[in-house]
Amino acid sequence: MSLKYVSTRNKNDVRTASLAILQGLAPDGGLYVPTEIPALDKSMKELSEMSYQEIAYNVMKLFFTDFTEEELRHCVNSAYDSKFDTPLICPLVKTDMAYYLELFHGKTIAFKDMALSILPYLMTTSARKNNIKNDIVILTATSGDTGKAALAGFADVPGTKIIVFYPKDGVSEIQKMQMVTQKGDNTFVVGINGNFDEAQTGVKRMFNDKELNDTLSKGGYQFSSANSINIGRLIPQVAYYVASYARLLANKEIEDGEKINVTVPTGNFGNILAAYYAKQMGTPIDKLICASNMNNVLTDFFRTGVYNRKRDFHLTMSPSMDILISSNLERLIYHIEGDSAEKTVMLMNELKDDGEYEIKPEDLRASVPEFYGDFASEDETADEIRTVYNDCGYVIDTHTAVASRVCRKYKDKTGDKTKTVIASTASPYKFTRSVMKAIGCDDPSLSDIDLTDKLSAVAKTDIPDAIKEIKNAEIRHKTICEVNEMQNTVLKFLGL
């Protein structure tokens, strides 16, 4: 079977996987989605006996059908190697309440590594397959973690440049240090005086600017994306949900076919959409619990059917989720609306022009009954870090704590005793100040980076190499710009 990809806003824009990966965002502003969700062709019993690399290959081969076996295995094996600090790649940690799927064992200690370790290989393979002569310019907005993971993945990759915009005052100190100390002659990092939504909107505007793209083409460049709007970022994330079920089965924590719930801390909606695709492929998942922080636009959407971005924007201790425009939700909307590009365009225009759109609650429940939304306040997030630590000595980061508290609230409210996997999306070492405050071990005299030594003693874990590397690293990227200066900043970096 040759699986194709179509824009959520234009049913006539149909591409192979490799072309969809290269394009990133569709020219019409839509996102590429598979024309169908393929079914797993291996049983869970078979998958439970495989390594992570084998599971990832067996998931991705069904989506990236224009890649040869040799090409795709090269991408998978090059990505999931010794850059991860455990051969399990994403281990499960069992507590009394749930299983925490640790997705932060890669080079930049956040879940983005799981997909951004493989995207450069998918991208360069796609360029070769399609005889692309231009250099690929990875243009990305980040709320904290995508930026560093993308920079690490693409640094000094031949034929590419990468430009990352981040909200200057909207990431943790350690997230910022990870980005601004990034090495690589092809890397460029820019802080903006604005929030993530403004950065993301600015990036999308550049993708859709025909005149700008013509200028790039004449200069020998073309844009692509490392955000989860790129299908090459999203599909590798499906693999770890399949792998988590296979791991539970291998560990005899569940019976074959027994359903599990999955709870995901959610901002841009890509990570939980990947879990939805895993379920559609045949992974026995029951509820998909969408956990938000105080920017709880998704909670309201799943409760009421109204998506309304016209609300206060909150800077929280879980900054990667400080998002009011969840781009990947468009893919789910497309599926809810019967794969209708026309209806998707109408709703996205309403969001752009009016700041909101609505899907009848009964239609939402009928189309995606597996989704459940709730949020955690700042106090609840801190209390969850403290509770999990006091209960079992396990230290979780702020984003994982949002998911953990929402999972706890869901279980208390519904009485659902289904075994649950919580996506643990970042190492606590990325958010030392908030984590140590929550536990009651903060030291105001220490910087966030110096505080990692105290966290190491409390958590009884080694300080990750990603933190050690930035302690005395040179700050290489000092550019700051206004939102309306983003395009000129890109052109100046490219010498155009």
Side-chain angles (χ1 to χ4, degrees):
M1 181 188 73
S2 178
L3 187 67
K4 295 294 197 297
Y5 290 81
V6 61
S7 167
T8 52
R9 303 188 190 186
N10 180 0
K11 65 182 179 183
N12 296 316
D13 182 1
V14 180
R15 303 183 183 231
T16 60
S18 60
L19 282 173
I21 290 168
L22 285 170
Q23 183 66 38
L25 187 71
D28 50 59
L31 280 64
Y32 289 108
V33 293
T35 50
E36 61 181 291
I37 305 298
L40 290 167
D41 63 359
K42 294 284 190 294
S43 70
M44 278 297 163
K45 180 69 169 61
E46 290 174 297
L47 292 167
S48 72
E49 297 168 353
M50 295 180 184
S51 67
Y52 185 82
Q53 292 83 348
E54 280 295 314
I55 293 172
Y57 170 75
N58 276 283
V59 170
M60 285 187 249
K61 73 176 185 181
L62 302 172
F63 285 99
F64 300 149
T65 56
D66 63 328
F67 284 65
T68 66
E69 178 176 351
E70 181 182 10
E71 288 170 337
L72 189 54
R73 284 193 182 278
H74 169 72
C75 292
V76 168
N77 293 332
S78 298
Y80 306 115
D81 60 5
S82 60
K83 69 174 69 71
F84 287 82
D85 65 16
T86 169
L88 292 175
I89 306 298
C90 52
L92 282 164
V93 173
K94 182 181 180 181
T95 69
D96 289 343
M97 185 181 72
Y99 301 86
Y100 291 84
L101 178 63
E102 293 189 340
L103 300 170
F104 52 77
H105 287 272
K107 198 169 182 180
T108 73
I109 55 176
F111 83 100
K112 308 297 174 73
D113 288 323
M114 296 297 295
L116 282 166
S117 292
I118 193 171
L119 184 60
Y121 297 100
L122 295 174
M123 191 82 71
T124 52
T125 302
S126 295
R128 285 196 302 271
K129 291 176 75 68
N130 292 280
N131 299 312
I132 299 299
K133 304 303 182 187
N134 287 340
D135 277 6
I136 306 295
V137 179
I138 305 299
L139 184 64
T140 290
T142 184
S143 54
D145 288 333
T146 288
K148 173 59 182 179
L151 288 162
F154 281 94
D156 291 325
V157 171
T160 71
K161 293 185 184 295
I162 176 163
I163 305 171
V164 171
F165 289 95
Y166 72 95
K168 179 173 68 73
D169 300 317
V171 299
S172 77
E173 180 187 342
I174 288 175
Q175 285 178 310
K176 179 179 177 180
M177 285 297 294
Q178 282 189 298
M179 288 188 281
V180 299
T181 59
Q182 176 65 50
K183 296 178 182 178
D185 292 338
N186 65 336
T187 64
F188 191 50
V189 180
V190 185
I192 68 160
N193 289 312
N195 61 40
F196 170 75
D197 286 333
E198 290 171 309
Q200 182 170 249
T201 299
V203 164
K204 285 184 175 180
R205 188 176 294 119
M206 284 186 269
F207 268 101
N208 296 328
D209 187 323
K210 187 178 184 305
E211 185 177 337
L212 174 62
N213 281 271
D214 287 344
T215 299
L216 257 68
S217 184
K218 289 173 185 174
Y221 298 112
Q222 67 186 67
F223 281 141
S224 191
S225 175
N227 286 79
S228 54
I229 58 176
N230 191 317
I231 200 68
R233 242 294 298 280
L234 183 64
I235 296 305
Q237 295 178 250
V238 177
Y240 53 70
Y241 290 110
V242 177
S244 68
Y245 190 93
R247 190 75 45 76
L248 288 173
L249 187 58
N251 294 344
K252 297 183 168 49
E253 297 288 343
I254 55 174
E255 298 293 328
D256 194 2
E258 179 182 347
K259 288 192 173 183
I260 63 169
N261 290 339
V262 173
T263 306
V264 186
T266 312
N268 216 20
F269 204 74
N271 203 3
I272 196 166
L273 183 68
Y276 173 73
Y277 280 178
K279 174 174 180 169
Q280 297 299 107
M281 294 185 79
T283 308
I285 296 171
D286 188 16
K287 284 292 182 184
L288 296 167
I289 301 167
C290 179
S292 300
N293 63 16
M294 292 296 291
N295 296 291
N296 58 348
V297 62
L298 287 166
T299 300
D300 290 345
F301 173 70
F302 283 113
R303 287 178 177 177
T304 68
V306 177
Y307 191 96
N308 185 348
R309 63 173 174 81
K310 298 178 295 183
R311 59 182 68 209
D312 291 338
F313 181 88
H314 300 281
L315 290 173
T316 73
M317 69 176 81
S318 48
S320 296
M321 299 163 65
D322 291 346
I323 296 171
L324 293 180
I325 303 174
S326 302
S327 291
N328 272 287
L329 187 63
E330 179 171 338
R331 286 185 165 114
L332 186 69
I333 296 301
Y334 175 81
H335 297 313
I336 288 171
E337 294 295 348
D339 293 356
S340 170
E342 293 79 9
K343 289 182 180 178
T344 304
V345 168
M346 180 186 73
L347 292 171
M348 294 306 110
N349 284 339
E350 288 177 8
L351 181 64
K352 182 180 72 172
D353 298 337
D354 305 325
E356 66 177 291
Y357 61 80
E358 180 177 4
I359 294 175
K360 292 178 181 177
E362 58 268 26
D363 292 343
L364 190 61
R365 285 190 289 271
S367 300
V368 285
E370 52 269 273
F371 279 93
Y372 175 93
D374 203 347
F375 74 100
S377 68
E378 290 288 86
D379 287 344
E380 288 175 319
T381 302
D383 183 68
E384 187 66 18
I385 295 171
R386 186 163 49 251
T387 297
V388 173
Y389 177 70
N390 288 339
D391 285 353
C392 57
Y394 184 53
V395 180
I396 57 177
D397 91 292
T398 50
H399 303 74
T400 306
V402 169
S404 186
R405 177 50 62 101
V406 168
C407 177
R408 194 180 299 274
K409 290 164 73 171
Y410 169 80
K411 286 175 175 283
D412 289 345
K413 182 178 180 179
T414 64
D416 188 349
K417 293 182 171 25
T418 302
K419 290 168 184 170
T420 302
V421 167
I422 294 175
S424 184
T425 53
S427 165
Y429 286 92
K430 295 197 87 160
F431 306 96
T432 49
R433 181 73 59 192
S434 297
V435 168
M436 293 298 274
K437 275 185 179 179
I439 292 173
C441 300
D442 188 25
D443 185 341
S445 69
L446 297 176
S447 70
D448 285 21
I449 292 175
D450 290 336
L451 199 55
T452 57
D453 291 314
K454 291 198 70 173
L455 175 57
S456 176
V458 167
K460 296 181 174 58
T461 55
D462 294 334
I463 297 174
D465 289 342
I467 299 297
K468 294 176 184 176
E469 288 171 3
I470 63 173
K471 280 198 170 186
N472 299 302
E474 174 194 358
I475 295 176
R476 299 168 55 89
H477 305 278
K478 301 177 183 178
T479 304
I480 304 294
C481 79
E482 302 299 324
V483 174
N484 61 7
E485 296 172 339
M486 290 172 63
Q487 180 170 315
N488 286 338
T489 303
V490 168
L491 290 171
K492 184 177 179 181
F493 173 61
L494 296 176
L496 299 175

